[in-house]
Amino acid sequence: QCLLSGSWRSDSGCRMVVSVLGKDGRFSGSYLPGPVANNPEVLTSPLEGFQQDAGLVQQPTFSFIVRWQLQARMTAFLGQCYVSTNGEETLHTLWLLREAADSPTEDWKATR
């Protein structure tokens, strides 16, 4: 069974900590992007999301949003938690980053 509670690290060194996982699938925690060792402006940012009922599905889907500290941007993540035959949990995700645009004409370049 795959539960998101705990600490996770991506291949690129990003860190996610899920500190609260409710019975209804809601969770919250914090997120820190990977290559930040030399950038003091990057802070740990809060995240909030939902996980599919792990009692119904062994490898549940999930989604969460990171609200970046001191920046006018948010990132939405959508993924699934997989459990290998040896019991190792792995998260696979897709993400979209949205920055604030100055005007509707600048909207085209605000989402990555």
Coordinates of all heavy atoms in Angstrom, one line a residue, residues 34-101:
G34 N 15.2 21.4 -6.0 CA 16.5 20.8 -5.9 C 17.7 21.7 -6.0 O 18.5 21.9 -5.0
P35 N 18.0 22.4 -7.1 CA 19.3 23.1 -7.2 C 19.2 24.5 -6.6 O 19.2 25.5 -7.2 CB 19.4 23.2 -8.7 CG 18.1 23.2 -9.3 CD 17.3 22.3 -8.3
V36 N 19.2 24.5 -5.2 CA 19.0 25.8 -4.5 C 20.2 26.1 -3.6 O 20.1 27.0 -2.8 CB 17.7 25.8 -3.7 CG1 16.5 25.8 -4.7 CG2 17.6 24.8 -2.7
A37 N 21.2 25.2 -3.6 CA 22.2 25.4 -2.6 C 22.9 26.7 -2.6 O 23.2 27.3 -1.6 CB 23.3 24.3 -2.8
N38 N 23.0 27.3 -3.8 CA 23.7 28.7 -3.9 C 22.7 29.8 -4.1 O 23.1 30.9 -4.5 CB 24.7 28.6 -5.1 CG 25.8 27.6 -4.8 OD1 26.2 27.4 -3.7 ND2 26.2 27.0 -5.9
N39 N 21.4 29.6 -3.8 CA 20.4 30.6 -4.1 C 19.6 30.8 -2.8 O 18.6 30.1 -2.5 CB 19.4 30.2 -5.2 CG 18.5 31.3 -5.6 OD1 18.4 32.3 -4.9 ND2 17.8 31.1 -6.7
P40 N 20.0 31.8 -2.0 CA 19.4 32.1 -0.7 C 17.9 32.7 -0.8 O 17.2 32.7 0.1 CB 20.3 33.1 0.0 CG 21.0 33.8 -1.2 CD 21.1 32.8 -2.2
E41 N 17.5 33.0 -2.1 CA 16.2 33.6 -2.3 C 15.1 32.5 -2.3 O 13.9 32.8 -2.2 CB 16.1 34.4 -3.6 CG 17.0 35.7 -3.5 CD 16.9 36.4 -4.8 OE1 16.1 36.2 -5.6 OE2 17.8 37.3 -4.9
V42 N 15.5 31.2 -2.5 CA 14.6 30.1 -2.6 C 14.3 29.6 -1.2 O 15.2 29.2 -0.5 CB 15.1 29.0 -3.6 CG1 14.1 27.9 -3.6 CG2 15.4 29.6 -4.9
L43 N 13.0 29.6 -0.9 CA 12.5 29.2 0.4 C 11.7 27.9 0.3 O 11.1 27.6 -0.8 CB 11.7 30.3 1.1 CG 12.4 31.6 1.3 CD1 11.3 32.6 1.7 CD2 13.5 31.5 2.2
T44 N 11.6 27.2 1.4 CA 10.6 26.1 1.4 C 9.2 26.6 1.3 O 8.9 27.6 1.9 CB 10.8 25.3 2.8 OG1 12.1 24.8 2.9 CG2 9.8 24.2 2.9
S45 N 8.4 26.0 0.4 CA 7.1 26.5 0.1 C 6.0 25.5 0.6 O 6.3 24.3 0.5 CB 7.0 26.7 -1.4 OG 7.8 27.7 -1.8
P46 N 4.9 26.0 1.0 CA 3.8 25.1 1.4 C 3.1 24.4 0.2 O 3.1 24.9 -0.9 CB 2.8 26.0 2.1 CG 3.0 27.3 1.5 CD 4.5 27.4 1.1
L47 N 2.7 23.1 0.5 CA 1.9 22.4 -0.5 C 0.6 21.8 0.2 O 0.6 21.6 1.4 CB 2.7 21.3 -1.1 CG 3.2 20.1 -0.3 CD1 2.1 19.0 -0.2 CD2 4.4 19.5 -0.9
E48 N -0.4 21.7 -0.7 CA -1.6 21.1 -0.3 C -2.2 20.2 -1.4 O -2.0 20.5 -2.6 CB -2.7 22.1 0.1 CG -2.3 22.9 1.3 CD -3.4 23.8 1.8 OE1 -4.6 23.4 1.6 OE2 -3.1 24.9 2.3
G49 N -2.7 19.0 -1.0 CA -3.2 18.2 -2.1 C -4.2 17.1 -1.6 O -4.6 17.1 -0.5
F50 N -4.4 16.1 -2.5 CA -5.3 15.0 -2.3 C -4.7 13.7 -2.8 O -4.1 13.7 -3.9 CB -6.7 15.2 -3.0 CG -7.5 16.3 -2.4 CD1 -7.5 17.6 -2.9 CD2 -8.4 16.0 -1.3 CE1 -8.3 18.6 -2.3 CE2 -9.2 17.0 -0.8 CZ -9.1 18.3 -1.3
Q51 N -4.9 12.6 -2.1 CA -4.5 11.3 -2.5 C -5.8 10.5 -2.6 O -6.7 10.5 -1.8 CB -3.6 10.7 -1.6 CG -3.2 9.3 -2.0 CD -2.2 8.6 -1.0 OE1 -1.7 9.2 -0.1 NE2 -2.0 7.3 -1.2
Q52 N -5.9 9.7 -3.7 CA -7.0 8.7 -3.8 C -7.0 7.8 -2.7 O -5.9 7.5 -2.1 CB -6.8 7.9 -5.1 CG -7.8 7.0 -5.5 CD -7.5 6.3 -6.8 OE1 -6.4 6.3 -7.3 NE2 -8.5 5.8 -7.5
D53 N -8.1 7.2 -2.3 CA -8.2 6.3 -1.1 C -7.3 5.1 -1.4 O -7.6 4.3 -2.2 CB -9.7 5.9 -1.0 CG -9.9 5.1 0.3 OD1 -8.9 4.6 0.9 OD2 -11.0 4.9 0.7
A54 N -6.2 5.0 -0.6 CA -5.3 3.9 -0.7 C -5.9 2.6 -0.2 O -5.3 1.5 -0.5 CB -4.0 4.2 0.1
G55 N -7.0 2.6 0.5 CA -7.7 1.4 0.8 C -8.4 0.8 -0.4 O -8.7 -0.4 -0.4
L56 N -8.8 1.6 -1.4 CA -9.4 1.1 -2.5 C -8.5 0.7 -3.7 O -8.8 -0.2 -4.4 CB -10.4 2.2 -3.1 CG -11.5 2.6 -2.2 CD1 -12.3 3.8 -2.8 CD2 -12.5 1.4 -1.9
V57 N -7.3 1.4 -3.7 CA -6.4 1.1 -4.8 C -5.0 1.0 -4.2 O -4.6 1.9 -3.4 CB -6.4 2.3 -5.8 CG1 -5.5 2.1 -6.9 CG2 -7.8 2.6 -6.3
Q58 N -4.2 0.0 -4.6 CA -2.9 -0.2 -4.0 C -1.9 0.9 -4.5 O -1.0 1.2 -3.8 CB -2.4 -1.5 -4.3 CG -2.9 -2.6 -3.5 CD -2.2 -3.9 -3.7 OE1 -1.8 -4.3 -4.9 NE2 -1.9 -4.6 -2.7
Q59 N -2.1 1.4 -5.7 CA -1.2 2.3 -6.3 C -2.0 3.6 -6.6 O -2.3 3.8 -7.8 CB -0.5 1.7 -7.5 CG 0.3 0.5 -7.0 CD 1.1 -0.2 -8.1 OE1 2.3 -0.2 -8.0 NE2 0.5 -0.7 -9.2
P60 N -2.3 4.4 -5.6 CA -3.2 5.5 -5.8 C -2.7 6.7 -6.6 O -1.5 7.0 -6.6 CB -3.5 6.0 -4.4 CG -2.3 5.6 -3.6 CD -1.8 4.3 -4.3
T61 N -3.6 7.5 -7.2 CA -3.3 8.7 -7.8 C -3.3 9.8 -6.8 O -3.9 9.7 -5.7 CB -4.2 9.0 -9.0 OG1 -5.6 9.1 -8.5 CG2 -4.1 8.0 -10.1
F62 N -2.7 11.0 -7.1 CA -2.7 12.1 -6.2 C -2.5 13.4 -7.0 O -2.1 13.4 -8.2 CB -1.5 12.0 -5.1 CG -0.2 11.9 -5.7 CD1 0.6 13.0 -6.0 CD2 0.4 10.7 -6.1 CE1 1.8 13.0 -6.6 CE2 1.6 10.6 -6.6 CZ 2.4 11.7 -6.9
S63 N -2.8 14.5 -6.3 CA -2.5 15.8 -6.9 C -2.1 16.8 -5.8 O -2.6 16.6 -4.7 CB -3.7 16.3 -7.7 OG -4.8 16.5 -6.9
F64 N -1.3 17.8 -6.1 CA -1.0 18.8 -5.1 C -0.6 20.1 -5.7 O -0.1 20.1 -6.9 CB 0.0 18.3 -4.0 CG 1.4 18.0 -4.5 CD1 2.4 19.0 -4.5 CD2 1.7 16.7 -4.9 CE1 3.6 18.7 -4.9 CE2 3.0 16.4 -5.3 CZ 3.9 17.4 -5.3
I65 N -0.7 21.2 -5.0 CA -0.3 22.5 -5.5 C 0.8 23.0 -4.6 O 0.6 23.0 -3.3 CB -1.5 23.4 -5.6 CG1 -2.4 22.9 -6.7 CG2 -1.0 24.9 -5.9 CD1 -3.7 23.7 -6.9
V66 N 1.8 23.6 -5.1 CA 2.8 24.3 -4.4 C 2.7 25.8 -4.6 O 2.6 26.2 -5.7 CB 4.3 23.9 -4.8 CG1 5.3 24.7 -4.1 CG2 4.5 22.4 -4.5
R67 N 2.5 26.5 -3.5 CA 2.4 28.0 -3.6 C 3.8 28.5 -3.2 O 4.2 28.5 -2.1 CB 1.4 28.5 -2.6 CG 1.2 30.0 -2.6 CD 0.1 30.5 -1.7 NE 0.2 30.0 -0.4 CZ 0.8 30.5 0.6 NH1 1.5 31.6 0.5 NH2 0.8 29.9 1.8
W68 N 4.6 29.0 -4.2 CA 5.9 29.4 -4.0 C 6.0 30.7 -3.1 O 5.3 31.6 -3.4 CB 6.6 29.7 -5.4 CG 6.7 28.4 -6.2 CD1 5.9 28.1 -7.2 CD2 7.5 27.3 -5.9 NE1 6.2 26.9 -7.7 CE2 7.2 26.3 -6.9 CE3 8.5 27.0 -5.0 CZ2 7.8 25.1 -7.0 CZ3 9.1 25.8 -5.1 CH2 8.8 24.8 -6.1
Q69 N 6.9 30.6 -2.2 CA 7.1 31.7 -1.3 C 7.8 32.9 -2.0 O 8.8 32.6 -2.8 CB 8.0 31.3 -0.1 CG 7.3 30.3 0.8 CD 6.1 30.9 1.6 OE1 6.0 32.1 1.8 NE2 5.2 30.0 1.9
L70 N 7.4 34.1 -1.8 CA 8.0 35.3 -2.3 C 8.1 35.4 -3.9 O 8.8 36.1 -4.4 CB 9.4 35.5 -1.8 CG 9.5 35.5 -0.2 CD1 11.0 35.6 0.2 CD2 8.7 36.6 0.4
Q71 N 7.2 34.6 -4.5 CA 7.2 34.6 -6.0 C 5.7 34.5 -6.4 O 4.9 33.9 -5.8 CB 8.0 33.4 -6.6 CG 9.4 33.3 -6.2 CD 10.1 32.0 -6.7 OE1 9.5 31.3 -7.4 NE2 11.3 31.8 -6.1
A72 N 5.5 35.2 -7.6 CA 4.1 35.2 -8.1 C 3.9 34.0 -9.0 O 3.7 34.1 -10.2 CB 3.8 36.5 -8.8
R73 N 4.0 32.8 -8.4 CA 3.8 31.5 -9.2 C 3.3 30.4 -8.4 O 3.5 30.4 -7.2 CB 5.1 31.1 -9.9 CG 6.3 31.0 -9.0 CD 7.5 30.5 -9.7 NE 8.1 31.5 -10.6 CZ 9.4 31.4 -11.0 NH1 10.1 30.4 -10.8 NH2 9.8 32.4 -11.8
M74 N 2.7 29.4 -9.0 CA 2.2 28.2 -8.4 C 2.5 27.0 -9.3 O 2.6 27.2 -10.6 CB 0.7 28.2 -8.1 CG 0.3 29.3 -7.2 SD -1.5 29.3 -6.9 CE -1.5 28.5 -5.3
T75 N 2.7 25.8 -8.8 CA 2.9 24.7 -9.6 C 1.9 23.6 -9.1 O 1.7 23.3 -8.0 CB 4.3 24.1 -9.4 OG1 5.3 25.1 -9.7 CG2 4.6 22.9 -10.3
A76 N 1.2 23.0 -10.2 CA 0.3 21.9 -9.9 C 1.0 20.6 -10.3 O 1.6 20.5 -11.4 CB -1.0 22.1 -10.7
F77 N 0.9 19.6 -9.5 CA 1.5 18.3 -9.7 C 0.3 17.3 -9.8 O -0.6 17.4 -9.0 CB 2.5 17.9 -8.6 CG 3.7 18.7 -8.6 CD1 3.8 19.9 -7.9 CD2 4.9 18.2 -9.1 CE1 4.9 20.6 -7.9 CE2 6.1 18.9 -9.0 CZ 6.1 20.1 -8.4
L78 N 0.4 16.3 -10.7 CA -0.5 15.2 -10.8 C 0.2 14.0 -11.0 O 1.2 13.9 -11.8 CB -1.5 15.5 -12.0 CG -2.6 14.5 -12.2 CD1 -3.6 14.4 -11.1 CD2 -3.3 14.9 -13.5
G79 N -0.1 12.9 -10.3 CA 0.7 11.7 -10.4 C 0.1 10.5 -9.8 O -1.0 10.4 -9.4
Q80 N 1.0 9.5 -9.7 CA 0.5 8.2 -9.1 C 1.7 7.6 -8.3 O 2.9 7.8 -8.7 CB 0.2 7.2 -10.2 CG -0.4 5.9 -9.7 CD -1.1 5.1 -10.8 OE1 -1.2 5.5 -11.9 NE2 -1.6 3.9 -10.4
C81 N 1.4 6.9 -7.3 CA 2.3 6.3 -6.4 C 2.4 4.8 -6.8 O 1.3 4.1 -6.7 CB 1.9 6.5 -4.9 SG 3.1 5.8 -3.8
Y82 N 3.5 4.3 -7.1 CA 3.7 2.9 -7.5 C 4.5 2.1 -6.4 O 5.4 2.7 -5.8 CB 4.4 2.7 -8.8 CG 3.7 3.3 -10.0 CD1 4.0 4.5 -10.5 CD2 2.7 2.5 -10.6 CE1 3.3 5.0 -11.6 CE2 2.0 3.0 -11.7 CZ 2.3 4.2 -12.2 OH 1.6 4.7 -13.2
V83 N 4.1 0.9 -6.2 CA 4.8 0.0 -5.2 C 5.4 -1.2 -6.0 O 4.6 -1.9 -6.7 CB 3.8 -0.5 -4.1 CG1 4.6 -1.4 -3.1 CG2 3.1 0.6 -3.4
S84 N 6.7 -1.3 -5.9 CA 7.4 -2.4 -6.6 C 7.2 -3.7 -5.9 O 6.6 -3.8 -4.8 CB 8.9 -2.1 -6.8 OG 9.5 -2.2 -5.5
T85 N 7.6 -4.8 -6.6 CA 7.4 -6.1 -6.0 C 8.2 -6.3 -4.7 O 7.9 -7.1 -3.8 CB 7.9 -7.2 -6.9 OG1 9.2 -6.9 -7.4 CG2 6.9 -7.3 -8.1
N86 N 9.3 -5.5 -4.5 CA 10.1 -5.5 -3.2 C 9.6 -4.5 -2.2 O 10.2 -4.3 -1.2 CB 11.6 -5.3 -3.5 CG 11.9 -4.0 -4.0 OD1 11.0 -3.1 -4.2 ND2 13.2 -3.7 -4.2
G87 N 8.4 -3.8 -2.5 CA 7.8 -2.9 -1.5 C 8.3 -1.5 -1.6 O 7.8 -0.6 -0.8
E88 N 9.1 -1.1 -2.5 CA 9.6 0.2 -2.7 C 8.6 1.1 -3.3 O 8.0 0.8 -4.4 CB 10.9 0.2 -3.5 CG 11.5 1.6 -3.6 CD 12.8 1.6 -4.4 OE1 13.5 0.6 -4.4 OE2 13.1 2.6 -5.1
E89 N 8.3 2.3 -2.7 CA 7.4 3.2 -3.2 C 8.1 4.3 -4.1 O 9.1 4.8 -3.8 CB 6.7 4.0 -2.1 CG 5.9 3.1 -1.2 CD 5.4 3.8 0.1 OE1 6.0 4.8 0.5 OE2 4.4 3.4 0.6
T90 N 7.4 4.6 -5.3 CA 8.0 5.5 -6.2 C 6.8 6.4 -6.7 O 5.7 5.9 -7.0 CB 8.6 4.8 -7.4 OG1 9.6 3.9 -7.0 CG2 9.2 5.8 -8.4
L91 N 7.1 7.7 -6.8 CA 6.1 8.7 -7.3 C 6.4 9.0 -8.7 O 7.6 9.3 -9.0 CB 6.0 9.9 -6.4 CG 5.8 9.8 -4.9 CD1 5.8 11.1 -4.3 CD2 4.6 9.0 -4.7
H92 N 5.5 9.0 -9.6 CA 5.6 9.5 -11.0 C 4.7 10.7 -11.1 O 3.5 10.6 -10.8 CB 5.3 8.4 -12.0 CG 6.3 7.3 -12.0 ND1 6.9 7.0 -13.2 CD2 6.7 6.5 -11.1 CE1 7.7 6.0 -12.9 NE2 7.7 5.7 -11.6
T93 N 5.2 11.8 -11.6 CA 4.4 13.0 -11.7 C 4.6 13.8 -13.0 O 5.6 13.7 -13.6 CB 4.7 14.0 -10.5 OG1 6.0 14.4 -10.6 CG2 4.4 13.4 -9.2
L94 N 3.6 14.6 -13.3 CA 3.6 15.6 -14.3 C 3.4 16.9 -13.6 O 2.7 17.0 -12.5 CB 2.5 15.4 -15.4 CG 2.6 14.2 -16.2 CD1 1.4 14.0 -17.1 CD2 3.9 14.2 -17.1
W95 N 3.9 18.0 -14.1 CA 3.7 19.3 -13.4 C 3.4 20.4 -14.4 O 3.9 20.4 -15.6 CB 4.8 19.7 -12.4 CG 6.1 19.8 -13.1 CD1 7.1 18.8 -13.2 CD2 6.7 20.9 -13.7 NE1 8.2 19.2 -13.8 CE2 8.0 20.5 -14.2 CE3 6.3 22.2 -13.9 CZ2 8.9 21.4 -14.8 CZ3 7.2 23.1 -14.6 CH2 8.4 22.7 -15.0
L96 N 2.7 21.5 -14.0 CA 2.5 22.7 -14.7 C 2.9 23.9 -13.8 O 2.4 23.9 -12.6 CB 1.1 22.9 -15.2 CG 0.6 22.1 -16.3 CD1 -0.9 22.2 -16.5 CD2 1.3 22.4 -17.6
L97 N 3.7 24.8 -14.2 CA 4.1 25.9 -13.5 C 3.4 27.1 -14.1 O 3.5 27.3 -15.3 CB 5.6 26.2 -13.5 CG 6.0 27.4 -12.7 CD1 6.9 27.0 -11.5 CD2 6.8 28.3 -13.6
R98 N 2.7 27.9 -13.2 CA 2.1 29.1 -13.7 C 2.6 30.3 -13.0 O 2.7 30.4 -11.8 CB 0.6 29.1 -13.4 CG -0.2 30.3 -13.8 CD -0.2 30.5 -15.3 NE -0.8 31.8 -15.6 CZ -1.4 32.1 -16.7 NH1 -1.6 31.1 -17.6 NH2 -1.9 33.3 -17.0
E99 N 3.1 31.3 -13.8 CA 3.6 32.6 -13.3 C 2.6 33.6 -13.6 O 1.8 33.5 -14.5 CB 4.9 33.0 -14.0 CG 6.0 32.0 -13.7 CD 7.3 32.3 -14.5 OE1 7.3 32.3 -15.7 OE2 8.3 32.6 -13.8
A100 N 2.6 34.7 -12.8 CA 1.7 35.8 -13.0 C 2.1 36.5 -14.3 O 3.3 36.8 -14.5 CB 1.7 36.8 -11.8
A101 N 1.1 36.8 -15.1 CA 1.3 37.6 -16.4 C 0.9 39.0 -16.1 O 0.0 39.3 -15.3 CB 0.5 37.0 -17.5

